[in-house]
Amino acid sequence: GDSVTQMEGPVTLSEEAFLTINCTYTATGYPSLFWYVQYPGEGLQLLLKATKADDKGSNKGFEATYRKETTSFHLEKGSVQVSDSAVYFCALSDVSNTGKLIFGQGTTLQVKP
Amino acid sequence: SQTIHQWPATLVQPVGSPLSLECTVEGTSNPNLYWYRQAAGRGLQLLFYSVGIGQISSEVPQNLSASRPQDRQFILSSKKLLLSDSGFYLCAWSEDPGGKLFFGSGTQLSVL
C-alpha cells in the first residue's frame, strides 16, 4: 500500500543554518504531496503542497519539489529561525481523492539561537 | 471564519472504561470530517472519515467507533478501552475531498 518515509529526528540546527528534511513515498498513481507542521502546543497546519510532478510548493521560506523520478518531496529552507522549531510531517493524498492522507512519522526540528 | 474545536486536551482512562472524544466545526457546512491517531514513534493513521451525517467509513479494524449525529459534530467512541488505544488523537475537516485539511489541537489519551 501507499506509504511515506521521513528522515528520523530530532534535527538540531543553529539559527540561520540550512535545513533539509528528507521525505520519500511509495504510491500507485500520482498522489498530491504535502508538508504539515505542528508548532508546540498547536494543531497541525498545512505548510505547503504540490499536486503534480515537478511542482514546487513554497511558504514561509520553505520549499519542496515533487520529484517523480526519485519519489521524493524533500523539505528545504535556506536559513532557519528559532521560531521554525516544530514537528514536520510529510504526507500524500489518496489518489481516489477521498481526502484521506497518509502521513510520515514526523521529524522534530529544534533550532538553537 | 471556520474553527474546529476538539476536547478534552488530555485524558487518562483505565483499561476497560468507555471513551468519548468530541469534535465540532464552526463556520462551514457539510464538511468532510476525519479522525486520526498518532501513536508514539509512528505516523498519523487515519481511523475514520465522514462525508455526511450518519456516513462513516472505517479505515482500520479496531476497538473504536465514530459517529456523526450532526453536520458539524464528529464523535470518537469506545465501549472498553485497551492499553493499545493510548495515543494522540486528531480531528480534522476539509471542504472537499483532496482539499486542505484543518486540524484540531488534539487529545492526548493515556490508557492505564
Side-chain angles (χ1 to χ4, degrees):
Chain A
D2 295 355
S3 65
V4 176
T5 302
Q6 286 179 238
M7 63 185 289
E8 290 193 20
V11 174
T12 302
L13 296 173
S14 298
E15 207 164 22
E16 299 184 1
F18 184 85
L19 168 72
T20 300
I21 300 179
N22 290 338
C23 171
T24 57
Y25 67 91
T26 302
T28 53
Y30 303 102
S32 293
L33 301 174
F34 305 80
W35 276 101
Y36 279 82
V37 59
Q38 184 178 22
Y39 297 104
E42 300 182 17
L44 275 173
Q45 54 187 278
L46 178 65
L47 181 60
L48 54 85
K49 73 174 187 179
T51 57
K52 61 183 188 296
D54 299 325
D55 266 4
K56 177 186 284 187
S58 61
N59 185 27
K60 298 181 181 181
F62 291 89
E63 292 183 341
T65 301
Y66 191 142
R67 301 287 188 197
K68 184 164 68 75
E69 63 277 12
T70 55
T71 61
S72 64
F73 194 53
H74 304 322
L75 182 68
E76 296 182 336
K77 186 174 186 182
S79 177
V80 294
Q81 305 300 313
V82 173
S83 58
D84 294 325
S85 298
V87 182
Y88 293 82
F89 292 87
C90 185
L92 65 83
S93 69
D94 175 78
V95 294
S96 66
N97 207 30
T98 59
K100 294 183 290 184
L101 285 177
I102 297 168
F103 286 85
Q105 71 270 38
T107 302
T108 299
L109 170 65
Q110 185 176 30
V111 181
K112 296 185 175 181
Chain B
S1 64
Q2 302 93 345
T3 55
I4 179 169
H5 302 281
Q6 187 182 339
W7 68 92
T10 59
L11 189 60
V12 180
Q13 292 284 97
V15 170
S17 63
L19 172 73
S20 180
L21 302 181
E22 189 162 341
C23 173
T24 59
V25 181
E26 296 177 357
T28 187
S29 59
N30 197 34
N32 296 296
L33 296 172
Y34 308 83
W35 277 110
Y36 283 88
R37 176 173 61 197
Q38 182 182 4
R42 301 176 63 181
L44 281 170
Q45 180 184 39
L46 178 65
L47 301 177
F48 302 96
Y49 72 95
S50 171
V51 297
I53 295 175
Q55 300 179 59
I56 309 294
S57 296
S58 174
E59 289 298 297
V60 292
Q62 58 206 322
N63 184 42
L64 303 169
S65 62
S67 61
R68 186 171 177 173
Q70 300 179 36
D71 181 45
R72 290 169 289 177
Q73 184 184 30
F74 204 26
I75 298 171
L76 183 69
S77 304
S78 173
K79 292 183 179 178
K80 288 186 178 182
L81 283 169
L82 305 172
L83 287 174
S84 57
D85 292 325
S86 295
F88 186 66
Y89 291 81
L90 278 168
C91 181
W93 73 274
S94 67
E95 289 185 329
D96 52 79
K100 179 178 176 178
L101 275 179
F102 299 88
F103 288 87
S105 53
T107 297
Q108 184 65 52
L109 172 66
S110 298
V111 182
L112 306 176

